[in-house]
Amino acid sequence: ATTNPHGVKGLENCHFLKSIEDARDIKNHILQNLEHACLPTCSDEERRRLLSFVVSGGGPTGVEFAAELFDMLNEDLGRSFPKILRNEISVHVIQSRGHILNTYDEALSVFAEQRFAHDQIEVLTNSRVKEVQKDKILFSQKDEKGEMVTKELPMGFCLWSTGVAQTDFCKRIADKIDVQTNRHALETDTHLRLNGAPLGSVYAIGDCSTVQNNVADHLVHFLRNMAYEQGKDPEKMQITFKQWRDVASKVKKRFPQATDHLRRLDKLFEQYDKDNSGTLDFGELHELLIQIDNKLTSLPATAQRANQQGQYLGRKLNKLAQAAPGMKANDMDYGDLDEAVYKAFDYHDMGSLAYIGNSAIFDINGMSFSGGLMAVYLWRSIYFAQSVSFRTRVLLAMDWGKRALFGRAVTGRSG
């Protein structure tokens, strides 16, 4: 994974969350700032700067880090450092959008902001970082008149959590394939095959890729073939409701993500049959499919998506391996073997969770809710259940139990 710099200067003064080494550096830096702030030679201004912690990025990662950092400083600081430091500590979250957690339901975003306000975590929305210096951050923010004003925020620690960017390897692949025009990710079809590569030879999953639906383009090609088989002009072809059901069936099979948008076929047919002829002409059907295409959003760049794609691809490769000897024995051409042996990838959203400081929010199957301590235990139980092995669950439970009894380890050094 490569951090997305967004063209900002001075990221060498930031920390990232990509590896265990990053986590060790973060812990050591926080402890170092606290220790320096305790020195009698430290001025008041320098102490406030050292104890100013900034998180750039208001997504789930940045929000959860800010909440955990606040909890550690608020709950465990007094055990090892003078309590007077607590009055000087400040935590800030800089977000370029109008709300933090903007991919969640708006009510959840508002609840998270209210919770942060209650905990005195400052949330700076509609703000864009321009430069990160060693002792301060320069950012632009809209004022009351809607004009952008440049501000600066003294800081002793900055976490950069603004998403991922293409790796150099993926960029080199994209440069060699003409159809790969997306600057952010490699484009694949619904079978996770890399667009532009020989059919079924290269697959891409996870954050490096994005699934391109293009429902309208694919179905236009299908309709043209159907028209030519019937000896008709595609532009003048009329589709009956029975034929529309067949078309919708093919759409669902090739593009599983479109299934939710094709539940009421009769309503869709009636809506786009604007001349009330009982049929859809080429233009009306094309407009219908474009509207469905526009509703199909990109799959989220989350661990659950990458996990589902990995499991899907593993099962598919096993199927392909089983089918290969038979094809070779019968001297059969490769063809579209993926489509023949396995269905297209169908992503099932299991919901989104976020910890926001002794509270948690949930966005699951269109239902959103939030809460305090009970929600935190529910949040933990879900992560506990999703752990990959019994050993991991035991270690996780031991870690939570140790934290509950003795607090976080804030005096020892890592690494």
Side-chain angles (χ1 to χ4, degrees):
T2 301
T3 301
N4 193 340
H6 292 287
V8 175
K9 299 178 181 179
L11 293 194
E12 64 274 8
N13 299 314
C14 299
H15 289 275
F16 309 97
L17 280 174
K18 293 289 185 289
S19 66
I20 294 176
E21 184 179 359
D22 290 337
R24 289 172 176 163
D25 290 342
I26 287 171
K27 180 180 179 182
N28 290 342
H29 193 161
I30 292 172
L31 293 177
Q32 187 179 49
N33 282 14
L34 292 172
E35 290 169 358
H36 285 176
C38 290
L39 296 176
T41 55
C42 184
S43 65
D44 292 342
E45 183 180 357
E46 177 66 5
R47 185 184 301 110
R48 284 191 292 270
R49 184 192 70 80
L50 287 171
L51 300 180
S52 173
F53 300 91
V54 179
V55 178
S56 181
T61 302
V63 166
E64 288 193 332
F65 179 87
E68 288 283 1
L69 175 63
F70 177 84
D71 286 350
M72 186 195 79
L73 297 174
N74 188 56
E75 297 171 3
D76 304 289
L77 179 63
R79 304 183 186 189
S80 306
F81 296 92
K83 292 184 179 180
I84 193 172
L85 289 187
R86 181 66 194 88
N87 299 325
E88 304 288 345
I89 286 176
S90 61
V91 179
H92 316 267
V93 178
I94 298 179
Q95 166 70 331
S96 60
R97 304 287 182 89
H99 291 282
I100 59 175
L101 300 174
N102 60 287
T103 57
Y104 288 62
D105 184 86
E106 185 176 350
L108 296 180
S109 297
V110 172
F111 177 84
E113 290 174 359
Q114 291 173 346
R115 181 71 193 188
F116 275 8
H118 176 269
D119 290 340
Q120 296 181 337
I121 298 176
E122 184 180 23
V123 177
L124 301 167
T125 55
N126 296 315
S127 304
R128 290 188 174 275
V129 177
K130 300 177 69 174
E131 184 179 355
V132 181
Q133 299 180 4
K134 287 185 178 182
D135 58 351
K136 61 184 176 182
I137 288 182
L138 302 179
F139 66 96
S140 58
Q141 187 180 42
K142 288 183 179 179
D143 61 11
E144 297 177 354
K145 298 180 180 179
E147 299 177 354
M148 300 302 293
V149 179
T150 300
K151 300 181 179 180
E152 63 178 49
L153 179 65
M155 65 87 184
F157 172 93
C158 179
L159 177 80
W160 190 261
S161 176
T162 59
V164 296
Q166 272 193 325
T167 62
D168 291 336
F169 176 68
C170 291
K171 287 180 180 178
R172 291 201 301 270
I173 291 177
D175 290 340
K176 292 181 178 295
I177 303 177
D178 293 337
V179 299
Q180 292 291 339
T181 57
N182 192 318
R183 295 183 302 166
H184 305 291
L186 297 172
E187 296 180 348
T188 72
D189 63 9
T190 53
H191 282 267
L192 307 186
R193 298 172 295 195
L194 188 68
N195 291 343
L199 198 63
S201 63
V202 183
Y203 298 86
I205 64 174
D207 289 347
C208 79
S209 65
T210 180
V211 178
Q212 291 299 105
N213 294 295
N214 297 330
V215 175
D217 292 342
H218 283 278
L219 266 295
V220 166
H221 178 71
F222 161 73
L223 289 173
R224 291 186 188 279
N225 289 339
M226 187 171 70
Y228 292 142
E229 290 173 0
Q230 299 177 9
K232 298 180 180 179
D233 183 354
E235 303 292 339
K236 299 179 181 179
M237 189 173 177
Q238 302 289 324
I239 304 296
T240 64
F241 181 71
K242 181 177 182 301
Q243 290 174 319
W244 160 235
R245 286 169 54 186
D246 293 338
V247 169
S249 177
K250 291 181 180 293
V251 173
K252 293 177 183 178
K253 183 178 179 181
R254 190 168 184 86
F255 305 96
Q257 298 305 123
T259 302
D260 289 340
H261 303 288
L262 291 170
R263 293 194 181 278
R264 293 301 305 271
L265 298 180
D266 53 341
K267 292 286 186 181
L268 286 171
F269 190 90
E270 181 181 343
Q271 179 182 351
Y272 285 89
D273 181 17
K274 297 179 180 179
D275 56 3
N276 297 320
S277 63
T279 60
L280 294 178
D281 60 31
F282 187 86
E284 291 170 336
L285 185 59
H286 188 247
E287 183 181 350
L288 188 159
L289 294 173
I290 286 178
Q291 291 302 317
I292 293 176
D293 217 352
N294 292 336
K295 293 178 182 178
L296 297 180
T297 57
S298 299
L299 299 180
T302 59
Q304 60 173 297
R305 167 205 168 188
N307 179 58
Q308 290 182 34
Q309 289 182 327
Q311 292 178 340
Y312 165 86
L313 193 56
R315 291 192 293 265
K316 172 185 279 190
L317 293 177
N318 285 334
K319 291 281 187 180
L320 292 174
Q322 294 169 6
M327 294 190 66
K328 184 176 181 180
N330 293 297
D331 196 24
M332 294 175 63
D333 185 25
Y334 183 84
D336 192 353
L337 190 57
D338 287 75
E339 188 123 10
V341 303
Y342 212 62
K343 59 186 179 181
F345 173 68
D346 186 8
Y347 171 71
H348 297 282
D349 185 17
M350 299 173 65
S352 301
L353 326 173
Y355 175 78
I356 54 174
N358 292 324
S359 297
I361 59 175
F362 302 81
D363 193 352
I364 301 175
N365 294 329
M367 298 184 297
S368 58
F369 58 96
S370 54
L373 198 58
M374 290 302 296
V376 173
Y377 286 125
L378 178 59
W379 174 82
R380 286 186 177 180
S381 66
I382 292 174
Y383 274 98
F384 183 83
Q386 291 296 320
S387 297
V388 295
S389 67
F390 177 74
R391 176 180 179 274
T392 304
R393 293 189 184 101
V394 171
L395 292 173
L396 192 58
M398 291 174 62
D399 187 56
W400 284 341
K402 181 177 66 175
R403 171 185 161 181
L405 290 173
F406 307 110
R408 299 170 182 82
V410 297
T411 55
R413 286 303 183 91
S414 302

